[in-house]
Amino acid sequence: MGTIPINITDFFNNRNNERAKSSFIISGPCSAETEEQVLQTAQQLAATGKVNLFRAGVWKPRTRPGMFEGIGSAALPWLLQAKKNTGLPITVEVATAKQVEEALKFEVDVLWIGARTTVNPFSVQELADVLKGVGIPVLIKNPINPDIDLWQGAVERIEKAGVKEIGLIHRGFSSYGNTTYRNAPMWHLAIEMKSRNADKIFICDPSHIGGKRELLLEISQKSIDLGYDGLMIESHIAPDIAWSDAAQQITPEALNSLLSKLIWRKSNLNIEEQNELQKLRLQIDQLDDELLQILSKRMKIADAIGLYKKQNNITILQAARWNEILDRAFKKNSTLDLSVEFIKKYFEAVHLESIHHQNKVMNE
Ligand code: PEP
Ligand code: MN
């Protein structure tokens, strides 16, 4: 971790700079509650030397009315004071044009769009319209539902407004019957979004994915292993009595210790590393070629079986045979070290392709 703070614009512009890449940390309380809480949290976070951007929710979109909905604009002077005291740039969540105007009056450096706003194209467009001509970086959280086109749509609206510095925050997706996580990470969706937006910084929010502090380390490390550029982690001087999201917040001291446990990975390789990986990848390519040849051979046999069934008026599907194939595979697997899910998925795909082949032969 470098000496901080990295200038936010530098970070956006030099995202391949190794130092910037491995150390973009956003932290601060879920909500600004009191002036003292904001100033102390910011002070302690700045003292870790590891935080690049101070966050605090001022307007809180809550599931039900009557829950703490944020202090509102009255908290903005506290954030500005925190910025003056520590030198840390500040970020708040905005959901309406009016909130953007208020935030700008108080010298907020970065805006973020929350999950409940990304989900609504009307709201995102309202933000895009007010952001025209305003050169402020914007971070866009994934929508609460697992729909990356909606996420991409929000990026496009903000981009069309002329915003150059856009980052994406993966905070997980609402899902039914999920017990481990507050919001299911669905890493495959985030990774797809990340590769569609390779030019943008990609940040993980393990606080809202996990919903409890015990999960922060594991989720953070996983995101780093996947090549994310940074983390947004909620931190509060007294997490247990926080007015929102108490279970997932940690003290600045705990944040410091968590960050020192993380192993940052690099994505820029030197020549020697490239060669070493290339050797292994060539072996994989060779095996993939062989596998495709073998699969094609297998399907030719399926064609022959299809022809035989046709000539003898036998149905394509033979349930007993399908179970036999799976049983054989599971037995063989005792020495192969493949996962049961993989074997099932593999044979389902192969079986389906076989049925297509036989169907074709039967109906020719
Ligand atoms: C937050 O960051 O405190 C927040 C409300 O997040 P999200 O939009 O991801 O729910
Ligand atoms: Mn929160």
mmCIF file of all heavy atoms in Angstrom, residues 30 55 60-61 93 112 114-116 141 171 205 208 232 234 245, ligand 1:
data_model
loop_
_atom_site.group_PDB
_atom_site.id
_atom_site.type_symbol
_atom_site.label_atom_id
_atom_site.label_comp_id
_atom_site.label_asym_id
_atom_site.label_seq_id
_atom_site.Cartn_x
_atom_site.Cartn_y
_atom_site.Cartn_z
ATOM 1 N N CYS A 30 -21.551 4.155 7.056
ATOM 2 C CA CYS A 30 -22.725 3.969 6.213
ATOM 3 C C CYS A 30 -23.428 5.322 6.139
ATOM 4 O O CYS A 30 -23.652 5.840 5.058
ATOM 5 C CB CYS A 30 -23.638 2.906 6.824
ATOM 6 S SG CYS A 30 -25.154 2.686 5.895
ATOM 7 N N ARG A 55 -16.125 8.270 2.580
ATOM 8 C CA ARG A 55 -17.538 8.183 2.213
ATOM 9 C C ARG A 55 -18.424 8.415 3.438
ATOM 10 O O ARG A 55 -18.019 8.131 4.572
ATOM 11 C CB ARG A 55 -17.883 6.799 1.642
ATOM 12 C CG ARG A 55 -17.731 5.643 2.627
ATOM 13 C CD ARG A 55 -18.684 4.472 2.332
ATOM 14 N NE ARG A 55 -20.015 4.712 2.870
ATOM 15 C CZ ARG A 55 -21.110 4.098 2.467
ATOM 16 N NH1 ARG A 55 -21.043 3.193 1.508
ATOM 17 N NH2 ARG A 55 -22.280 4.373 3.012
ATOM 18 N N LYS A 60 -30.281 8.611 2.884
ATOM 19 C CA LYS A 60 -30.278 7.145 2.906
ATOM 20 C C LYS A 60 -31.586 6.589 2.354
ATOM 21 O O LYS A 60 -32.652 6.825 2.928
ATOM 22 C CB LYS A 60 -30.097 6.627 4.340
ATOM 23 C CG LYS A 60 -28.836 7.083 5.039
ATOM 24 C CD LYS A 60 -27.584 6.643 4.318
ATOM 25 C CE LYS A 60 -27.401 5.143 4.273
ATOM 26 N NZ LYS A 60 -26.153 4.784 3.552
ATOM 27 N N PRO A 61 -31.501 5.861 1.248
ATOM 28 C CA PRO A 61 -32.716 5.217 0.736
ATOM 29 C C PRO A 61 -32.986 3.974 1.594
ATOM 30 O O PRO A 61 -32.204 3.040 1.597
ATOM 31 C CB PRO A 61 -32.318 4.814 -0.691
ATOM 32 C CG PRO A 61 -30.826 4.673 -0.654
ATOM 33 C CD PRO A 61 -30.312 5.480 0.499
ATOM 34 N N GLU A 93 -23.622 9.582 -1.562
ATOM 35 C CA GLU A 93 -24.582 8.995 -2.496
ATOM 36 C C GLU A 93 -25.601 10.056 -2.900
ATOM 37 O O GLU A 93 -26.122 10.776 -2.047
ATOM 38 C CB GLU A 93 -25.313 7.812 -1.835
ATOM 39 C CG GLU A 93 -26.445 7.283 -2.705
ATOM 40 C CD GLU A 93 -27.168 6.065 -2.136
ATOM 41 O OE1 GLU A 93 -26.676 5.457 -1.156
ATOM 42 O OE2 GLU A 93 -28.237 5.723 -2.681
ATOM 43 N N TRP A 112 -21.576 9.067 -5.719
ATOM 44 C CA TRP A 112 -21.878 7.692 -6.079
ATOM 45 C C TRP A 112 -23.383 7.499 -6.196
ATOM 46 O O TRP A 112 -24.160 8.179 -5.534
ATOM 47 C CB TRP A 112 -21.202 6.690 -5.143
ATOM 48 C CG TRP A 112 -21.969 6.143 -3.976
ATOM 49 C CD1 TRP A 112 -22.925 5.154 -4.015
ATOM 50 C CD2 TRP A 112 -21.813 6.491 -2.590
ATOM 51 N NE1 TRP A 112 -23.366 4.891 -2.731
ATOM 52 C CE2 TRP A 112 -22.706 5.686 -1.845
ATOM 53 C CE3 TRP A 112 -21.000 7.407 -1.906
ATOM 54 C CZ2 TRP A 112 -22.810 5.766 -0.454
ATOM 55 C CZ3 TRP A 112 -21.102 7.480 -0.519
ATOM 56 C CH2 TRP A 112 -21.998 6.668 0.175
ATOM 57 N N GLY A 114 -26.423 4.922 -5.842
ATOM 58 C CA GLY A 114 -26.704 3.709 -5.069
ATOM 59 C C GLY A 114 -27.482 2.672 -5.871
ATOM 60 O O GLY A 114 -28.056 2.964 -6.931
ATOM 61 N N ALA A 115 -27.511 1.470 -5.327
ATOM 62 C CA ALA A 115 -28.137 0.332 -6.003
ATOM 63 C C ALA A 115 -29.624 0.569 -6.279
ATOM 64 O O ALA A 115 -30.156 0.129 -7.295
ATOM 65 C CB ALA A 115 -27.961 -0.914 -5.143
ATOM 66 N N ARG A 116 -30.301 1.269 -5.357
ATOM 67 C CA ARG A 116 -31.734 1.496 -5.533
ATOM 68 C C ARG A 116 -32.026 2.595 -6.540
ATOM 69 O O ARG A 116 -33.174 2.831 -6.906
ATOM 70 C CB ARG A 116 -32.372 1.824 -4.179
ATOM 71 C CG ARG A 116 -32.418 0.646 -3.247
ATOM 72 C CD ARG A 116 -32.708 1.069 -1.814
ATOM 73 N NE ARG A 116 -32.411 -0.008 -0.895
ATOM 74 C CZ ARG A 116 -31.180 -0.379 -0.536
ATOM 75 N NH1 ARG A 116 -30.131 0.272 -1.011
ATOM 76 N NH2 ARG A 116 -30.993 -1.386 0.283
ATOM 77 N N LYS A 141 -23.057 2.056 -8.538
ATOM 78 C CA LYS A 141 -23.238 0.724 -7.944
ATOM 79 C C LYS A 141 -24.118 -0.132 -8.846
ATOM 80 O O LYS A 141 -24.930 0.395 -9.614
ATOM 81 C CB LYS A 141 -23.887 0.858 -6.569
ATOM 82 C CG LYS A 141 -22.941 1.398 -5.502
ATOM 83 C CD LYS A 141 -23.494 1.064 -4.125
ATOM 84 C CE LYS A 141 -22.489 1.377 -3.039
ATOM 85 N NZ LYS A 141 -22.887 0.748 -1.756
ATOM 86 N N ARG A 171 -21.803 -4.370 -5.407
ATOM 87 C CA ARG A 171 -22.280 -4.480 -4.019
ATOM 88 C C ARG A 171 -23.225 -5.652 -3.846
ATOM 89 O O ARG A 171 -23.909 -5.772 -2.835
ATOM 90 C CB ARG A 171 -22.898 -3.168 -3.533
ATOM 91 C CG ARG A 171 -23.960 -2.588 -4.437
ATOM 92 C CD ARG A 171 -25.303 -3.270 -4.380
ATOM 93 N NE ARG A 171 -26.082 -2.838 -3.226
ATOM 94 C CZ ARG A 171 -27.173 -3.456 -2.796
ATOM 95 N NH1 ARG A 171 -27.628 -4.540 -3.442
ATOM 96 N NH2 ARG A 171 -27.844 -3.028 -1.753
ATOM 97 N N ASP A 205 -17.631 -3.716 -2.979
ATOM 98 C CA ASP A 205 -18.191 -3.246 -1.707
ATOM 99 C C ASP A 205 -18.541 -4.480 -0.870
ATOM 100 O O ASP A 205 -19.673 -4.967 -0.905
ATOM 101 C CB ASP A 205 -19.431 -2.385 -2.000
ATOM 102 C CG ASP A 205 -20.231 -2.000 -0.756
ATOM 103 O OD1 ASP A 205 -19.971 -2.558 0.333
ATOM 104 O OD2 ASP A 205 -21.133 -1.154 -0.879
ATOM 105 N N HIS A 208 -21.696 -4.325 1.811
ATOM 106 C CA HIS A 208 -23.094 -4.583 1.440
ATOM 107 C C HIS A 208 -23.287 -5.972 0.847
ATOM 108 O O HIS A 208 -24.399 -6.488 0.857
ATOM 109 C CB HIS A 208 -23.622 -3.478 0.515
ATOM 110 C CG HIS A 208 -23.774 -2.174 1.235
ATOM 111 N ND1 HIS A 208 -22.760 -1.268 1.340
ATOM 112 C CD2 HIS A 208 -24.814 -1.675 1.963
ATOM 113 C CE1 HIS A 208 -23.163 -0.239 2.083
ATOM 114 N NE2 HIS A 208 -24.409 -0.461 2.476
ATOM 115 N N MET A 232 -14.671 -0.561 -1.313
ATOM 116 C CA MET A 232 -15.426 0.407 -0.525
ATOM 117 C C MET A 232 -15.899 -0.347 0.718
ATOM 118 O O MET A 232 -16.672 -1.301 0.611
ATOM 119 C CB MET A 232 -16.624 0.959 -1.296
ATOM 120 C CG MET A 232 -17.440 1.964 -0.484
ATOM 121 S SD MET A 232 -19.029 2.385 -1.252
ATOM 122 C CE MET A 232 -18.742 4.069 -1.779
ATOM 123 N N GLU A 234 -17.387 0.006 4.746
ATOM 124 C CA GLU A 234 -17.965 0.926 5.727
ATOM 125 C C GLU A 234 -17.212 0.865 7.056
ATOM 126 O O GLU A 234 -16.915 -0.216 7.564
ATOM 127 C CB GLU A 234 -19.440 0.582 5.957
ATOM 128 C CG GLU A 234 -20.303 0.973 4.756
ATOM 129 C CD GLU A 234 -21.774 0.702 4.965
ATOM 130 O OE1 GLU A 234 -22.128 -0.089 5.862
ATOM 131 O OE2 GLU A 234 -22.584 1.284 4.218
ATOM 132 N N ASP A 245 -26.886 -0.120 9.228
ATOM 133 C CA ASP A 245 -25.912 -1.164 8.857
ATOM 134 C C ASP A 245 -24.863 -1.463 9.939
ATOM 135 O O ASP A 245 -23.664 -1.630 9.644
ATOM 136 C CB ASP A 245 -25.216 -0.790 7.536
ATOM 137 C CG ASP A 245 -26.164 -0.882 6.345
ATOM 138 O OD1 ASP A 245 -27.303 -1.366 6.527
ATOM 139 O OD2 ASP A 245 -25.764 -0.482 5.236
HETATM 140 C C1 PEP B 1 -24.497 2.469 1.107
HETATM 141 O O1 PEP B 1 -23.428 2.462 0.472
HETATM 142 O O2 PEP B 1 -24.590 2.778 2.291
HETATM 143 C C2 PEP B 1 -25.712 1.999 0.416
HETATM 144 C C3 PEP B 1 -26.933 2.419 0.729
HETATM 145 O O3 PEP B 1 -25.417 1.109 -0.514
HETATM 146 P P1 PEP B 1 -26.297 0.341 -1.615
HETATM 147 O O4 PEP B 1 -26.780 1.359 -2.583
HETATM 148 O O5 PEP B 1 -25.280 -0.574 -2.201
HETATM 149 O O6 PEP B 1 -27.386 -0.406 -0.904
#
